Amino acid sequence: MPYIKTYEYEEAADELRSVYDSIIGSRGKLAEVHKIQSLNPTALLAHMDLYKVVMFGNSPLKRYQREMMAVVVSAANQCRYCVEHHKQALLFYWKDEEKVKNLLTSPNAAGLGEADVALCEFAQQITLTPHETSKVVIANLQALGFDDRAILDAVQVIAYFNFVNRFVLSLGVDYSDDEATGYKY
């Protein structure tokens, strides 16, 4: 149960109803992470616009790489809500439950290529010790073939999920098993 008041779809009026309809139209479903922001529909709409650009926009990063980093960040932050949601999205791309399960243990255990392991390590490092990012870390990603745009996009995904994890964790957003079904990936 959230720690603050939220509005269900049936209770939403005017601007909030319009924002909810937009989310349902683009994502297929209204989630708890959306409802927790229902007291500020303008910010919720801006948040969803950012999400769409970061996760679905044109990028040198593949969609599965963005979902993979979302899972790594959320696991590092112990955000079960986001881990479960983005595990489902990652399964859509990988079609391998064991690989996704192993990702939560260690990127090396998931059988990932060197570049994907580096993205996962980068995601964990920025999440847990952002002050330790250095030119060496960035140069390693560049040596693996990531151009500056890909590195920027990776940082945006990582920062976005740190933002959302804190939203979810600090406001008591709960995960239920039916929560991650019905989304458009």
Side-chain angles (χ1 to χ4, degrees), residues 7-48:
Y7 289 99
E8 296 295 326
Y9 181 83
E10 299 76 27
E11 302 171 291
D14 305 323
E15 182 185 12
L16 181 58
R17 175 63 69 106
S18 177
V19 171
Y20 276 3
D21 286 340
S22 175
I23 291 168
I24 293 167
S26 66
R27 299 291 297 138
K29 184 176 179 179
L30 190 63
E32 296 304 313
V33 73
H34 304 130
K35 292 186 262 183
I36 198 68
Q37 299 173 75
S38 61
L39 296 174
N40 190 343
T42 304
L44 171 55
L45 187 58
H47 172 186
M48 290 311 301

Side-chain angles (χ1 to χ4, degrees), residues 51-102:
Y51 174 76
K52 286 185 239 175
V53 169
V54 168
M55 293 302 286
F56 296 93
N58 186 27
S59 172
L61 296 176
K62 295 176 176 70
R63 278 279 301 123
Y64 85 84
Q65 290 173 315
R66 293 180 253 184
E67 294 295 348
M68 177 183 71
M69 288 186 293
V71 170
V72 169
V73 168
S74 299
N77 285 322
Q78 299 178 38
C79 183
R80 180 174 180 256
Y81 182 94
C82 292
V83 166
E84 294 300 328
H85 269 279
H86 294 279
K87 270 178 30 182
Q88 294 305 312
L90 194 51
L91 272 171
F92 178 83
Y93 295 102
W94 282 356
K95 313 264 190 273
D96 185 338
E97 288 189 36
E98 192 68 21
K99 185 175 181 177
V100 174
K101 180 181 163 194
N102 288 338

Side-chain angles (χ1 to χ4, degrees), residues 127-160:
T127 299
L128 299 175
T129 56
H131 59 282
E132 292 180 9
T133 301
S134 67
K135 287 182 182 180
V136 172
V137 172
I138 300 301
N140 179 51
L141 291 170
Q142 290 166 329
L144 290 168
F146 294 105
D147 65 13
D148 289 351
R149 171 63 194 273
I151 294 167
L152 171 64
D153 289 2
V155 171
Q156 288 176 331
V157 169
I158 296 161
Y160 171 79

